[in-house]
Amino acid sequence: MSERIPLARPVLGEREEQLVLDVLRSGRLSLGPMLEEFERRFAERLGAAHASAVSSGTAGLHLAVRAAGIEAGDEVITTPFSFVASANCVLYEGARPVFCDIDPRTLNLDPRAAEAAVGERTTGILPVHIFGYPADMPAFERIARERGLWLVEDACEALGAVHADGTPVGARGNSAVFAFYANKQITTGEGGVVTCGDAAVKERIDSERNQGRVPDMGWLDHDRLGFNYRLSELACALGVAQLERLDELLAARARVAALYGEALAGIEGLRLPCPDEGGDRRSWFVYVVQLPRGVARDRAVEELRARGVDSKPYLPAIHLMSFYRERFGHRPGEFPVCEDVAARSLSLPFFPGMSEGQVARVAEALREVLACVSARA
Ligand SMILES: *Cc1c(COP(=O)(O)O)cnc(C)c1O
């Protein structure tokens, strides 16, 4: 049988090797020039005022909600259709994520549902640009302004996405968090960046990622609680090299998505990712389809694997995870759109180096599997 097709695979080349080697040879492995270089280039690329590199997207979310002023007992409105980190960061601070249903087209937090959920204890909204499709930030910004709430954007899946007004995702002045795990648009192995428009927020994040140290005081002066959320020079070197080829990486992802769009057209009941609408531009992160109703998804995953194709149910609804159910008493039926999408979503192999032949193989396997799994269902 032909080679297995993985879900994701990073693009790493000589430039990455060279910059990492330079750092190794420099002997300066943390808090050095690569950190500044990576932050400067990242902010410049997005047109954001400030960027702070951190050890992961999760760490970035944690520092961003702290800098926004989150306090224990607060309620934060967010989406249940996300990677769990966007809700967990609220729990880290003793606050409570209040979930709202999603828009069935974009799969992002529905602004109307969010507005309806604002209550006395609500202090912030945390929208996620899921699967790289821009969340409706103008709507959330209006709600936040009118209700006096803070906003933190989870842009971990959306590097390169652009809002209808031409603003890149993460450059609106709200704190926005990016992540660089190996399957993201760019990777540093592990890592993240928080962009923001406010110099005081940048200063607080830079301090708290580094044990609460004041920027120009000695190493052992700590004037606030901090963490070790630093990103190493080695990781920053990878980030610099990856940023240099960002356009090429994004174009390659868009090419693969277009190939999938053609190869999967016309399968009955199969829902493909929504096309861009109204001027918003998706940055392709994953290729997630929603299987036809009634298909046993676990069987489909097995049958795809038997044909050499990796796939993964993605994403599960956060409120129905056992930890969230037990802690907050969530039950199925609370967020019908999210639950329906979460039950049918399947992530297919998707990475910049994917060939037309590989896309065709995935499509053929999926057609076969759907025919056999549906027939027996
Ligand atoms: C990847 C991701 C994160 C952060 O992930 P880390 O592994 O901590 O870098 C957060 N939110 C979403 C939606 C993500 O996809």
Side-chain angles (χ1 to χ4, degrees):
M1 197 179 68
S2 37
E3 209 179 315
R4 190 182 63 89
I5 307 177
L7 272 175
R9 187 158 57 200
V11 178
L12 300 165
E14 281 176 20
R15 180 71 175 156
E16 283 80 2
E17 290 176 14
Q18 188 56 55
L19 290 187
V20 169
L21 201 57
D22 289 349
V23 168
L24 277 177
R25 289 177 176 159
S26 78
R28 182 96 186 250
L29 301 188
S30 189
L31 294 174
M34 272 298 175
L35 171 64
E36 277 171 40
E37 184 72 11
F38 183 42
E39 290 181 340
R40 190 182 59 73
R41 291 201 197 188
F42 196 92
E44 198 174 276
R45 162 73 206 216
L46 254 66
H50 307 286
S52 297
V54 291
S55 53
S56 69
T58 306
L61 285 164
H62 188 192
L63 295 185
V65 297
R66 282 176 60 87
I70 197 170
E71 286 182 12
D74 286 356
E75 291 184 354
V76 176
I77 292 172
T78 191
T79 169
F81 191 66
S82 174
F83 181 61
V84 70
S86 57
N88 281 350
C89 69
V90 171
L91 292 183
Y92 296 159
E93 292 297 316
R96 179 188 173 121
V98 171
F99 297 114
C100 294
D101 215 343
I102 58 172
D103 179 291
R105 186 181 74 86
T106 67
L107 312 185
N108 283 322
L109 181 63
D110 180 345
R112 276 159 309 180
E115 186 160 25
V118 175
E120 257 176 29
R121 311 187 77 132
T122 309
T123 59
I125 309 180
L126 201 161
V128 180
H129 306 277
I130 204 69
F131 303 160
Y133 198 91
D136 188 354
M137 290 316 298
F140 293 118
E141 284 160 2
R142 179 190 59 74
I143 299 167
R145 211 167 38 241
E146 289 177 7
R147 306 296 189 104
L149 307 174
W150 52 257
L151 281 174
V152 166
E153 302 177 37
D154 181 338
C156 289
E157 303 192 349
L159 178 59
V162 183
H163 293 282
D165 64 7
T167 317
V169 164
R172 304 182 71 84
N174 312 311
S175 292
V177 183
F178 295 86
F180 312 128
Y181 186 72
N183 68 338
K184 311 277 178 177
Q185 283 91 342
I186 67 169
T187 186
T188 60
E190 298 280 358
V193 153
V194 185
T195 56
C196 67
D198 181 347
V201 168
K202 155 97 175 145
E203 197 186 311
R204 177 160 176 184
I205 288 173
D206 287 358
S207 168
E208 290 192 354
R209 77 178 166 192
N210 191 23
Q211 308 289 6
R213 182 189 174 203
V214 188
D216 37 13
M217 288 175 91
W219 173 244
L220 293 174
D221 281 314
H222 307 271
D223 74 338
R224 52 160 74 96
L225 179 65
F227 307 85
N228 179 355
Y229 285 165
R230 296 187 299 263
L231 191 63
S232 78
E233 288 288 286
L234 296 159
C236 291
L238 269 179
V240 167
Q242 291 269 286
L243 262 189
E244 285 174 359
R245 55 160 101 217
L246 177 59
D247 287 326
E248 162 207 328
L249 294 172
L250 294 177
R253 285 180 180 270
R255 178 189 64 87
V256 175
L259 290 172
Y260 264 126
E262 285 169 33
L264 296 176
I267 300 181
E268 205 181 310
L270 184 76
R271 182 132 181 215
L272 305 186
C274 73
D276 292 346
E277 207 177 279
D280 286 326
R281 291 213 311 270
R282 185 199 296 269
S283 168
W284 285 95
F285 165 59
V286 280
Y287 200 88
V288 176
V289 297
Q290 293 168 48
L291 297 179
R293 288 209 162 67
V295 167
R297 185 174 53 178
D298 293 348
R299 290 248 359 254
V301 170
E302 271 172 45
E303 292 291 336
L304 283 169
R305 186 179 305 124
R307 289 164 174 78
V309 173
D310 282 357
S311 67
K312 193 160 79 177
Y314 187 83
L315 292 151
I318 297 174
H319 66 290
L320 297 182
M321 292 177 175
S322 53
F323 173 75
Y324 277 85
R325 279 199 204 211
E326 280 160 31
R327 177 107 168 227
F328 297 107
H330 288 298
R331 291 280 169 276
E334 282 182 82
F335 310 112
V337 180
C338 166
E339 289 168 29
D340 178 53
V341 171
R344 294 162 56 206
S345 289
L346 192 69
S347 187
L348 300 177
F350 187 72
F351 47 91
M354 236 181 133
S355 69
E356 196 166 346
Q358 286 176 312
V359 172
R361 257 187 65 205
V362 175
E364 191 189 308
L366 187 61
R367 278 177 200 275
E368 270 178 36
V369 166
L370 288 179
C372 84
V373 172
S374 309
R376 283 188 231 159

